[in-house]
Amino acid sequence: MSAREEILRRLGDAPVTGYDAIPRHYLRRHHDGDVVDLFAERAADYRAQVRRIARAELPAVLGEPDGRFAVPAGLPDAWTAEVDAVRDDPPLSVADLDALDGVITGCAVAIAETGTVVLDHGPGQGRRALTLVPDFHLVVVETGQIVADVPEAIERLSPDRPLTFVSGPSATSDIELSRVEGVHGPRRLSILIVDA
Amino acid sequence: MRIALFVTCFNDTLYPGTGKAVVTLLERLGHEVVFPAEQTCCGQMHYNTGYDRECGPLVKDFVKTFQPFDAIVVPSASCAGMIRENHVRVARTVGDRGLAEEADRLGPRVHELTELLVDVLGVEDVGAYFPHRVTYHPTCHSLRALGVGDRPLRLLRAVRGIDLVELPDAAECCGFGGTFALKNPDVSAAMGADKVARIRQTGAEVVCAADNSCLAHLGGLLSRLRTGVRTLHLAEILAATE
Amino acid sequence: MPGHHDTAGAAMPTYVGMPAFPDAARAAVRDTQLRRNLAHATTTIRAKRVTAVGELADWAELRETGKQIKDHTIEHLGHYLRLLEEQVTARGGTVHWARDAAEANQVVTDLIKATGETEVVKVKSMATQEIGLNEALDAAGIHAYETDLAELIVQLGGDRPSHILVPAIHRNRAEIREIFRREMPGVPDDLTDDPARLAAAAREHLRERFLAAKVAVSGANFAVAETGSLVVVESEGNGRMCLTLPETLISVMGIEKVLPTWRDLEVFLQLLPRSSTAERMNPYTSVWSGATEGQTFHLVLVDNGRTATRDDEVGRQALRCIRCSACLNVCPVYQRAGGHAYGSPYPGPIGAILSPQLRGAGSPVDDSLPYASTLCGACFEACPVAIDIPEVLVHLRSRAVHGRTERAAMRFAAWTLRSPTRLAFGQRLAGTAGRVLGRRGFIGRLPGPMARWTDTRDAPVPATETFRDWWNRR
C-alpha cells in the first residue's frame, strides 16, 4: 500500500458536513470611518516611512531619493519621470537587483488595521524577487486600495496570484524576543499614499 | 439556610482550623451547617495523577453523601473545581452513566466558599475583624478553573482593620500542582521560591488563599526560610472577630 | 530507529535517550544564566501579547471560529487532503505523501538529489525539525543552511532548539555574539551585542547563499484545500528569499495544517501573529498556489503520528495547534525548566501533549511529559485555538504507565479514602507521627519519598484533633 493510500485509509471517507455551521461571530472590521489615516498610523507603527501626498506630487516625490531604482512593467511611466529607473524587462538578474538602490511599485490591497501592504505581483508590482532583493522598497498605495481589515482584504485578493503581505520593513524577534528591524528583506520601506 | 460542609480530606487532616472557621463564619451569618459524616475525598489527587479507575468509587461516594443537600460549601477551590468540572467526566470514563447524570445534577449545588458567600448568600461584609497586613494569592484553580474573579478580594476588602496589599504577578502559579510538587520537586521549588519572593516584597504578615494545598507548599517554603510570614486560609480571616 | 544514538543530532528521532523531564529540568533550574534569559524573554512577550490580543474586541469569537474550523478539518481530514492534492496538482505542483519521518526524509533527499545540488537553503520549519531532516540530508551528503536567525544561532552553536518561535531563546545577546564570532567566517572584529548589529551580521553571512541557492526547503503555516494555496508566515525575509529565488521549492508540512477554504485565512491571519510575536501582523506573509513564476514545486504531506493522534477523541485537539508558542511564553514550568528538558522540538505545554502522542509513549521523557505541568491553566487561557491542554495532560496521565510503588500507594490511598472509618484511623496515625516529628507547626526533613517535599520546604503537621473529631465532640 502506498503512503498516500495508507494515510487516506486511516483518515476514513466520511462525507463532509458541518462546515457552513461553523459560527463566525467575529467582526468584519474593527474600525469604522476613515481607514486612510488609520492605515498611515498603523504602517508607521511598524517603522515604515509613510507620507500622504497629492497625486500630482507623485513624480516629484518619487524622484527625491538618490540612486537607481528597479521598476516593474505596468507602473505608469508618468510616476517615474524623475527617477533613474531600471526596467525589469527583460528580467534583471538577482545580482543586478542586488546592486540597485531600491525598487518602486504599486500594490494590490492595503490593510488599515494592521498597517499591511499586499502585493499580488500583477502589473506595476513585478515578480516577487523584485521587491525582495533591493534594500529599499518604495510602494505607492492609492486610497481606494485601502480596506479596513483582514477579512475585507482576503475577500479582495485572489488565490490565483502569488501574494506577499508586507507589514513594515524586515524584522526579527529572535534575540531575546525583542523586535529589531532589518534582516534579509528590504531594510527600508517607504509608503506613499495618494488619492485615487 | 441549611448548608452541607464538604471540608475535604486535606483540611480535615492537616487544617481543621479552616473547617472550624467555615462553621463559625456561616453560623455567625445565621445559617445552619451540617457535616455529613460519610464524606471523605473528592478524588482530585487520583484524577489529576491519572488514576481514573481508583477515582471512580470516590466520586460515587461523594455523590451519594451529598445528593440530599441543596447547598454544599467547599473551602477549597481546587476540590470544588474537581467536583464541578471533572466528576461527570470520571463517571463517564468508568462507564457509569447513572452516576454521570447524578453528578451533573449535583454540580451546580456545590460552591466554593467565596462563591457561596457572594453569589448564594449575597454578602460581602461578613463582619470580620483582622488587624494585620495581608496579601492574597489567587490560586490557579480559583482563578482559571472556577473563575471566582474578585469575590475573595471583595470579601477581604470589607474586613475591618485589614491592611490588604496587592501581590505582584499574583496570577502566576505557586508551583504546588498536587503530585507535581513530588514528581518535579526542582521546578516546583523554583516556582515557589519566586512566589515567596513576591510575597516578601509586599511586607505582608499573612498570605491567604482559597486553597490550603497551595498554602501548605508556600507555608513550607516560608517556614524553611524562616521568613516569619504566616499562611492562612481565607475562611480563617473571614471568621475572625474582635 | 531504535537504539540509534546520535547525541549531536537535533532531530525528533534522535531525541531517543533523553532523560525524563524532572532530571533534565533539574539541571536547567540550577543554570541561573538560562533562567535569567528565559525569564527576561518570556515576561517581555507576555505583556505584549496581552496588549495585541486585547486590541481586538472580538478575540473570543475569532478564537471560537478558529477552534471550530480546525476541529472540522481534523474530522474530515481525508477529504481536505485529497482536495488540496487535486488543487496543487492542477496548478502545476507535485504532491508526495509520507507515513513517517524516515519516509519523508527519503522523499526530500531524493528530490534534492534529482536536482544534482548538494546544498539547500531552509526556512524555519517545525515539521522538518520533527522529522530530523537536516541530519538525514547530512547523511546523504547534502548540507542544509538554516536561514532563520534563531535557527542559524542554534545551528552555528551546535545546539538544540528550545522554543517553537524563537529556537535560540535560551541564548542572550552576549552569548549570540560569542557564537557568531566563533563560528561565522568573516564576521567583523568590532561586532557588538547590539541586536541590530547581530541581525546585520546574519544578513551579510547569508546574502550570497540566498542569491546563489538552487533548491529551498520550507514548511507551511497553512495550506488552503479549495485553492491549493500554501502560506508561510515570517518576519525576517529569509522565508521570501527561500520561497522566491531558488528554482526548486520543496515544502514539508504536517497533514493537520490544511484549512478548508480561502476565507478561513481571514481568521488565522488574525489569530497567529498576535499570539505569536504579539504583532498586529508579522512583517511578511507569502502565499502561493502551485508552481509559481516558473519554479518547480513539491509538497510533501507528512503523517508521522498524526493519524494516530487523531484517533484519540480527547487528545486529537492537540492537532489544532498553529505553532504560535503563546503557551510556552505563559508557562511557569517552561520558564524555569527551559525547552531542552522537553526532549523534543515541541517544548512547553503543547509539546507535553503533542510529543507523547506523535511518538507514542514508551520512552522515559515521553512518559514523564504529561506530568511536566502543575495544571495551572495559563496555557489554555492563552491558546488562540482553545486547546484545553490541562484536560489532555490529565487524559494522557490516565493512559501512562505508572510505577509499581506509586500504583500501590495510590490504590492504598483510594482504599483508605473510601471509608470514613479507615480515613479516621489513618488520620490518627498521621497525628501521632506529627506529634513526634513536628516543631512549631512544621516538620523538617523527612526520609524516603517524602524527602522530595522536605528537601526544599517544611511539611505541615497533621492535626492532633481532626476536623471530624472536633465536630463530633462539639
Side-chain angles (χ1 to χ4, degrees):
Chain A
M1 200 186 285
S2 74
R4 180 183 185 277
E5 284 165 26
E6 188 170 334
I7 292 168
L8 289 174
R9 182 185 57 78
R10 298 191 65 166
L11 294 173
D13 210 2
V16 179
T17 52
Y19 179 78
D20 293 333
I22 294 170
R24 289 177 187 265
H25 300 310
Y26 55 89
L27 304 170
R28 300 299 296 168
R29 43 159 67 195
H30 291 94
H31 283 88
D32 288 318
D34 184 12
V35 296
V36 179
D37 283 347
L38 181 67
F39 170 70
E41 177 199 315
R42 292 285 165 93
D45 268 2
Y46 286 147
R47 310 277 171 85
Q49 301 160 317
V50 184
R51 278 170 74 182
R52 194 169 175 180
I53 59 169
R55 180 166 284 265
E57 294 175 86
L58 196 53
V61 173
L62 285 175
E64 278 171 19
D66 292 332
R68 303 180 71 213
F69 284 78
V71 170
L75 198 75
D77 283 338
W79 289 10
T80 53
E82 294 172 37
V83 178
D84 184 1
V86 183
R87 297 255 154 214
D88 186 38
D89 184 24
L92 299 161
S93 72
V94 170
D96 288 344
L97 284 176
D98 199 32
L100 293 174
D101 296 293
V103 56
I104 300 170
T105 71
C107 70
V109 168
I111 309 170
E113 180 70 32
T114 58
T116 305
V117 171
V118 190
L119 308 174
D120 70 4
H121 305 283
Q125 298 167 50
R127 61 203 166 97
R128 294 176 296 172
L130 195 74
T131 38
L132 172 62
V133 178
D135 204 14
F136 177 23
H137 183 190
L138 243 160
V139 59
V140 177
V141 176
E142 301 183 54
T143 49
Q145 293 176 315
I146 303 172
V147 298
D149 220 320
V150 177
E152 291 173 27
I154 295 296
E155 201 178 322
R156 272 207 201 184
L157 293 163
S158 166
D160 294 333
R161 303 214 50 85
L163 302 173
T164 307
F165 291 62
V166 177
S167 310
S170 136
T172 182
S173 300
D174 279 357
I175 299 166
E176 300 175 6
L177 267 168
S178 301
R179 181 175 161 126
V180 292
E181 275 80 22
V183 200
H184 305 294
R187 286 181 285 192
R188 278 177 71 198
L189 176 70
S190 191
I191 297 174
L192 297 177
I193 305 173
V194 297
D195 291 320
Chain B
M1 191 170 186
R2 187 160 179 264
I3 301 159
L5 169 63
F6 174 54
V7 75
T8 81
C9 61
F10 194 81
N11 288 333
D12 187 10
T13 311
L14 294 169
Y15 296 96
T18 297
K20 293 179 209 171
V22 174
V23 175
T24 307
L25 172 64
L26 293 177
E27 287 182 349
R28 189 173 76 217
L29 293 170
H31 302 282
E32 183 196 350
V33 180
V34 289
F35 180 78
E38 287 302 303
Q39 66 178 277
T40 56
C41 168
C42 67
Q44 183 183 189
M45 177 181 76
H46 288 88
Y47 177 74
N48 280 351
T49 316
Y51 290 83
D52 286 3
R53 284 230 321 270
E54 288 76 6
C55 184
L58 297 171
V59 172
K60 202 178 175 89
D61 291 349
F62 179 89
V63 171
K64 194 173 150 208
T65 306
F66 286 95
Q67 215 159 26
F69 300 97
D70 293 330
I72 298 118
V73 65
V74 188
S76 159
S78 66
C79 297
M82 170 67 196
I83 295 161
R84 285 221 303 258
E85 308 294 320
N86 299 324
H87 271 191
V88 175
R89 212 175 280 182
V90 173
R92 287 207 191 108
T93 306
V94 298
D96 191 337
R97 281 184 54 191
L99 179 63
E101 280 167 27
E102 286 170 1
D104 196 34
R105 278 196 298 273
L106 182 59
R109 307 206 297 272
V110 174
H111 311 281
E112 183 274 331
L113 176 65
T114 66
E115 293 176 327
L116 179 90
L117 291 168
V118 176
D119 301 347
V120 182
L121 306 179
V123 56
E124 285 186 19
D125 183 351
V126 296
Y129 173 71
F130 193 75
H132 299 281
R133 189 171 192 138
V134 175
T135 193
Y136 167 70
H137 167 57
T139 63
C140 299
H141 283 102
S142 59
L143 194 68
R144 285 177 281 261
L146 285 184
V148 300
D150 66 348
R151 290 178 187 83
L153 286 171
R154 271 146 66 191
L155 289 158
L156 285 169
R157 279 188 208 116
V159 172
R160 272 169 302 118
I162 198 167
D163 176 12
L164 190 62
V165 282
E166 195 182 326
L167 180 66
D169 298 327
E172 187 166 315
C173 178
C174 71
F176 169 65
T179 45
F180 178 84
L182 300 175
K183 284 177 180 282
N184 283 284
D186 300 276
V187 180
S188 173
M191 288 166 68
D194 289 344
K195 182 62 78 179
V196 162
R198 296 296 191 219
I199 293 167
R200 295 182 78 175
Q201 238 175 292
T202 65
E205 303 159 64
V206 172
V207 53
C208 74
D211 275 286
N212 273 328
S213 49
C214 305
L215 289 177
H217 165 70
L218 290 175
L221 286 162
L222 289 163
S223 156
R224 178 65 55 88
L225 296 170
R226 302 185 189 285
T227 58
V229 182
R230 281 190 298 150
T231 57
L232 262 189
H233 192 283
L234 195 67
E236 296 177 52
I237 294 177
L238 298 180
T241 48
E242 268 176 269
Chain C
M1 241 182 288
H4 179 74
H5 289 280
D6 179 1
T7 47
M12 194 106 160
T14 52
Y15 275 105
V16 169
M18 277 290 294
F21 183 85
D23 300 325
R26 183 172 305 124
V29 164
R30 288 173 188 167
D31 184 339
T32 49
Q33 180 67 63
L34 174 67
R35 274 182 70 185
R36 256 203 307 277
N37 293 355
L38 285 169
H40 171 66
T42 55
T43 47
T44 304
I45 194 79
R46 267 179 220 175
K48 285 194 205 162
R49 189 195 67 86
V50 168
T51 309
V53 165
E55 238 182 48
L56 300 189
D58 59 340
W59 186 257
E61 288 78 13
L62 281 165
R63 186 177 188 241
E64 179 62 24
T65 305
K67 169 193 170 190
Q68 294 213 24
I69 290 171
K70 281 288 185 182
D71 281 351
H72 169 86
T73 314
I74 293 160
E75 178 64 30
H76 304 288
L77 195 52
H79 167 80
Y80 288 116
L81 289 173
R82 279 192 201 93
L83 188 57
L84 176 69
E85 178 186 49
E86 182 188 305
Q87 286 298 317
V88 169
T89 309
R91 291 159 192 259
T94 310
V95 178
H96 310 263
W97 301 69
R99 275 168 283 224
D100 54 28
E103 209 165 54
N105 288 331
Q106 195 58 54
V107 169
V108 178
T109 306
D110 291 346
L111 288 171
I112 297 168
K113 280 193 167 163
T115 66
E117 293 296 315
T118 55
E119 291 184 352
V120 298
V121 286
K122 269 191 75 199
V123 198
K124 182 175 135 43
S125 137
M126 294 310 298
T128 60
Q129 282 282 2
E130 175 192 320
I131 62 176
L133 179 66
N134 289 5
E135 291 70 24
L137 291 180
D138 206 40
I142 299 164
H143 187 77
Y145 289 93
E146 291 292 354
T147 64
D148 168 78
L149 179 52
E151 288 282 11
L152 178 69
I153 296 163
V154 167
Q155 195 176 40
L156 290 176
D159 209 347
R160 282 183 178 177
S162 70
H163 189 275
I164 290 174
L165 173 71
V166 190
I169 193 170
H170 55 288
R171 300 288 192 192
N172 66 24
R173 58 187 74 188
E175 293 170 289
I176 294 167
R177 171 176 175 261
E178 283 320 301
I179 291 169
F180 278 14
R181 284 172 62 118
R182 203 171 59 232
E183 304 291 338
M184 203 181 258
V187 74
D189 287 339
D190 62 345
L191 182 70
T192 65
D193 65 2
D194 172 18
R197 288 289 309 275
L198 295 169
R203 179 185 167 100
E204 279 311 305
H205 175 69
L206 287 170
R207 195 79 186 163
E208 285 309 310
R209 192 82 59 205
F210 281 132
L211 303 189
K214 297 275 185 280
V215 181
V217 177
S218 85
N221 291 94
F222 309 103
V224 179
E226 111 183 305
T227 61
S229 310
L230 276 279
V231 182
V232 166
V233 173
E234 54 134 351
S235 295
E236 297 168 14
N238 63 311
R240 293 175 67 191
M241 288 280 179
C242 292
L243 301 172
T244 310
L245 299 182
E247 293 157 8
T248 302
L249 171 62
I250 303 164
S251 299
V252 181
M253 69 170 232
I255 51 176
E256 84 286 16
K257 292 273 157 248
V258 66
L259 297 175
T261 71
W262 179 249
R263 187 190 174 188
D264 295 331
L265 288 179
E266 74 188 23
V267 177
F268 291 98
L269 288 183
Q270 295 191 72
L271 289 175
L272 180 55
R274 289 181 195 259
S275 302
S276 183
T277 47
E279 291 166 307
R280 295 188 185 111
M281 192 63 94
N282 49 292
Y284 299 131
T285 297
S286 297
V287 185
W288 74 100
S289 309
T292 306
E293 293 180 345
Q295 258 181 344
T296 301
F297 173 56
H298 295 278
L299 175 62
V300 185
L301 298 173
V302 183
D303 180 345
N304 204 33
R306 285 162 177 76
T307 50
T309 303
R310 178 180 171 273
D311 289 341
D312 185 314
E313 285 295 326
V314 178
R316 64 154 60 176
Q317 59 186 303
L319 297 177
R320 283 184 210 144
C321 176
I322 56 173
R323 312 285 189 260
C324 72
S325 64
C327 64
L328 280 64
N329 297 336
V330 299
C331 178
V333 175
Y334 173 84
Q335 188 193 317
R336 272 90 186 173
H340 292 150
Y342 294 81
S344 149
Y346 302 112
I350 186 64
I353 62 168
L354 199 54
S355 307
Q357 294 200 91
L358 290 181
R359 297 193 284 213
S363 68
V365 66
D366 282 332
D367 287 342
S368 67
L369 283 178
Y371 293 93
S373 166
T374 63
L375 307 178
C376 86
C379 48
F380 177 31
E381 199 173 63
C383 177
V385 286
I387 302 170
D388 190 341
I389 294 178
E391 180 192 17
V392 181
L393 286 167
V394 171
H395 172 71
L396 294 177
R397 289 176 184 187
S398 75
R399 295 192 330 189
V401 183
H402 302 120
R404 197 182 298 176
T405 318
E406 182 190 284
R407 206 164 59 230
M410 291 301 266
R411 287 204 179 133
F412 179 73
W415 178 78
T416 307
L417 290 166
R418 280 222 64 186
S419 143
T421 321
R422 290 197 291 264
L423 174 59
F425 180 71
Q427 287 170 330
R428 273 194 292 280
L429 277 184
T432 307
R435 265 194 297 278
V436 176
L437 297 166
R439 227 175 259 163
R440 290 175 291 106
F442 282 100
I443 299 173
R445 288 173 201 277
L446 285 170
M450 281 315 290
R452 285 159 169 263
W453 182 278
T454 58
D455 274 352
T456 50
R457 62 221 131 175
D458 292 341
V461 179
T464 46
E465 183 183 55
T466 62
F467 177 82
R468 77 183 62 224
D469 287 342
W470 174 80
W471 179 271
N472 290 333
R473 183 169 61 79
R474 193 176 173 240

